[in-house]
Amino acid sequence: MSARTHSRPHPATTGGVDIRLPWWALALPALAFVALLMLILNPSDAHAASGDPAITHILTRAQQLLIR
C-alpha cells in the first residue's frame, strides 16, 4: 500500500528577507572596537583591576596544588 505525499498549501516565497537592525546593533560593536583600539595605541591608560587578596591567595594555592 502506498502512502500519499502531502504538498504545501502555500508555496514558499522566493523573495529576499527584509531585516532591519536597530541602531545600537551597529553602534555598540563599533564603540567596543574603538575603545580596544585606543587601549592598544595607548597602553599606559590601561590599569589592572585591584583584586581581593583572599581570591589571589586561593588562586595561588590552587596553582601550587596543580603543579605538584
Side-chain angles (χ1 to χ4, degrees):
M1 177 180 259
S2 62
R4 286 187 173 184
T5 59
H6 298 285
S7 61
R8 290 185 170 183
H10 301 290
T13 59
T14 59
V17 178
D18 184 25
I19 297 176
R20 296 188 63 179
L21 293 174
W23 65 269
W24 50 264
L26 295 174
L28 288 180
L31 181 65
F33 176 77
V34 169
L36 290 174
L37 185 63
M38 295 304 291
L39 285 176
I40 291 172
L41 293 177
N42 193 5
S44 64
D45 290 340
H47 301 287
S50 60
D52 187 16
I55 293 174
T56 306
H57 180 67
I58 291 171
L59 291 176
T60 305
R61 291 289 292 161
Q63 183 182 15
Q64 290 174 351
L65 290 174
L66 290 174
I67 292 174
R68 289 185 189 182

